[in-house]
Amino acid sequence: VLSGCGVYDGTEIHEASAILVHLSRGGAKVQMYAPDVPQMHVIDHSKGQPAEAESRNVLVESARIARGKIASLAKLTTADHDAVIFPGGFGAAKNLSTFAVDGKDCKVNREVERVLKDFHKAGKPIGLCCISPVLAAKVLSGAEVTVGHEEEEGGKWPYAGTAGAIKELGGKHCVKESVFSLTHFYEAHVDTKNKVVTTPAFMCETELHHIFDGIGAMVKNVLKLTGK
């Protein structure tokens, strides 16, 4: 499920690409979706500032990543799929929800909420990375997720405050690494009860290949939970 095209106002493109590569390697067939709604706003990524008087559609922008092969999120059903995965990027907090503006008081897009609840009810796995775990924390009360660490640690985890927001949303935050250490490898957290799998990805300031491998751990566990 995509949320536009570009980290600051849509889907984080590197995350989406990594997910697709790992799904392909795992033998999965993929269909991409996005809500057919206007973006919250448009960011000029060369300046990191809003592009005034410009508007874009989330589905139309997401089609760039999907190479045109995309459908409205309203058409996504559990009957047709074994799992669902949400990449990160600010679009998850701006277009799939209002988390970027409202924090713990955010609202989730109606179709996104439906999809999360439907897959959860059907016992089918849900994968999320970077900022998108806030969606599960808001919609699936008590879900265990990770966005990495709970302290900034000198800028290594610049979005560490999100962990506190997840707790306020009703979720349980679990500390995980996104890089190699003496005791941790590229980690994903698996909430076996709710079949929710999350990984920090770009919540951490680290090398791209570490993020790629962390996403791989998430995808691998999502596929494993399908039982296929």
Side-chain angles (χ1 to χ4, degrees):
V1 176
L2 304 179
S3 61
C5 182
V7 58
Y8 296 123
D9 59 8
T11 300
E12 213 300 319
I13 298 170
H14 296 294
E15 291 177 10
S17 180
I19 289 168
L20 291 169
V21 169
H22 288 297
L23 284 171
S24 175
R25 186 168 286 153
K29 293 182 179 180
V30 178
Q31 171 63 50
M32 283 175 270
Y33 296 88
D36 188 1
V37 296
Q39 289 185 186
M40 174 186 143
H41 61 184
V42 178
I43 296 293
D44 179 340
H45 282 61
S46 69
K47 300 176 180 178
Q49 299 174 349
E52 302 296 340
E54 185 173 349
S55 62
R56 298 187 185 185
N57 178 278
V58 175
L59 177 61
V60 173
E61 291 301 296
S62 298
R64 294 175 180 272
I65 297 174
R67 297 173 63 87
K69 298 178 181 179
I70 196 166
S72 170
L73 187 59
K75 297 181 179 180
L76 173 54
T77 67
T78 57
D80 296 328
H81 302 282
D82 297 308
V84 64
I85 295 179
F86 291 79
F90 279 89
K94 293 179 176 180
N95 304 327
L96 303 189
S97 72
T98 64
F99 181 77
V101 176
D102 300 322
K104 66 181 180 63
D105 298 317
C106 69
K107 294 181 180 179
V108 175
N109 171 277
R110 182 178 61 183
E111 290 298 335
V112 172
E113 182 173 2
R114 175 189 64 81
V115 168
L116 287 168
K117 288 182 175 179
D118 284 355
F119 274 80
H120 182 256
K121 184 178 180 180
K124 294 185 175 183
I126 299 166
L128 311 102
C129 64
C130 197
I131 192 65
S132 66
V134 300
L135 302 172
K138 175 68 175 181
V139 175
L140 307 176
S141 181
E144 296 179 0
V145 300
T146 189
V147 289
H149 281 209
E150 299 180 356
E151 302 293 336
E152 291 190 16
E153 298 181 19
K156 180 181 176 182
W157 297 90
Y159 309 106
T162 306
I166 282 172
K167 296 174 185 177
E168 292 180 316
L169 287 168
K172 178 180 178 182
H173 185 259
C174 302
V175 174
K176 293 287 177 177
E177 299 285 344
S178 68
V179 297
F180 172 79
S181 72
L182 292 177
T183 57
H184 296 90
F185 291 86
Y186 314 105
E187 289 193 328
H189 180 74
V190 182
D191 178 349
T192 53
K193 177 182 177 182
N194 293 296
K195 291 191 176 181
V196 173
V197 187
T198 51
T199 193
F202 278 100
M203 297 299 277
C204 181
E205 289 289 337
T206 187
E207 301 296 333
L208 182 60
H209 64 282
H210 294 313
I211 291 165
F212 182 89
D213 290 343
I215 288 173
M218 181 266 286
V219 171
K220 182 178 180 179
N221 279 287
V222 166
L223 295 178
K224 183 179 179 180
L225 286 173
T226 67
K228 295 189 175 182

